[in-house]
Amino acid sequence: DVREPGEYANGHIPGAINIPRGAIEFHIWHFIGTPEHPNLAAELYLYCGWGSRSLLAARSLQQLGLSRVTAVDMQLAYWVAAGYPLTEPDF
């Protein structure tokens, strides 16, 4: 989930990890290794509210050498409309 923390807290896809688009290049290493020893074949699926931030984040990660990055082409509202689960908001 590449949305901002407040958006993530309002509900997210179960199991999603929140790394905002503006910080993904710095924080992804915790999940795929280190910059010196990354797992460049890690399979990552990125989403946001409308699709544009996930596309930008995917491009950035691909430029870092990750080869299995997918920007999910959907609006999060479509996920909800299809009846798929979201976590409860963190209020």
Side-chain angles (χ1 to χ4, degrees):
D1 188 326
V2 298
R3 299 176 299 153
E4 293 299 313
E7 294 172 291
Y8 180 83
N10 285 329
H12 54 274
I13 294 173
I17 297 167
N18 182 227
I19 306 176
R21 160 61 199 111
I24 199 164
E25 297 89 349
F26 302 105
H27 297 290
I28 193 65
W29 307 112
H30 176 72
F31 302 98
I32 64 160
T34 66
E36 296 81 21
H37 302 293
N39 175 3
L40 297 177
E43 194 168 5
L44 304 172
Y45 295 91
L46 310 179
Y47 76 91
C48 62
W50 295 91
S52 55
R53 288 178 283 185
S54 61
L55 287 171
L56 293 171
R59 179 178 287 168
S60 293
L61 294 178
Q62 289 166 345
Q63 289 172 343
L64 291 174
L66 283 98
S67 60
R68 299 180 69 193
V69 180
T70 301
V72 178
D73 187 17
M74 67 159 196
Q75 293 180 16
L76 192 55
Y78 295 161
W79 175 273
V80 174
Y84 297 118
L86 279 187
T87 61
E88 295 294 319
D90 296 340
F91 310 136

